Amino acid sequence: MEKLMYTLWKSDAQSAGAFKADLLGAVSRDLLQRGARKLRVSVDDDAVAPAAALRQINSIPPVNAVVSLWVDSVQYRRPCEEVLRSSSARLAGYLVTESEAIVNTKHPVRDGERVTGMMQIVFLTRPPRLRYEHWLDLWLDGHTPVGVETQSNFGYRQNVVVRRLTYGAPPCDGFVEENFPAAAMTSPHAFYEAAGYEATY
């Protein structure tokens, strides 16, 4: 089974609420009917509005959603891409390998439920000055243990990009998916799991 990640942009004419409802409703149903074995839908909505100051914008306009789906083979992705294209103004697709540095056992949910708190998705691009192997080592074996140790994550996934799947997809070498408690949206101490150390922050 292979994991595919698609970044999506809504049309200017569509509201954020309508875009979210479409993704969680008809789009999800169609993807599952057309070969997706599993889905993860991450969408920018009012529930995470308090975390706006934490957002790092990588494109203009900013990405509105990231849809992850698992298929038996990347060769069978076309029907799913048709669904995503018909429901968004623009998309970019990537084949990735996923590794879970922190498995979410603290706030597990049933299929179709929202995970508590917020999920931060970080887009990574290798600096040209670094060899690919060196960059990968710095990210996976250097930075990740620090993030796990210092942040309040209860879910942490690393996605190494194998290749781009759609024409014109921006260069990207990796995605990090991090689940944080709701308090982390507005409190640096909650974000860095530093409650009780306010005077030293």
Side-chain angles (χ1 to χ4, degrees), residues 12 46 62 85 87 116 132 151 166 173 180 200:
D12 292 337
D46 291 341
R85 286 187 192 282
S87 60
T116 189
Y132 180 76
Q151 297 177 164
T166 55
D173 295 302
F180 287 90
T200 59

Side-chain angles (χ1 to χ4, degrees), residues 163-174:
R163 64 184 174 99
R164 288 177 273 181
L165 298 175
T166 55
Y167 178 77
C172 186
D173 295 302

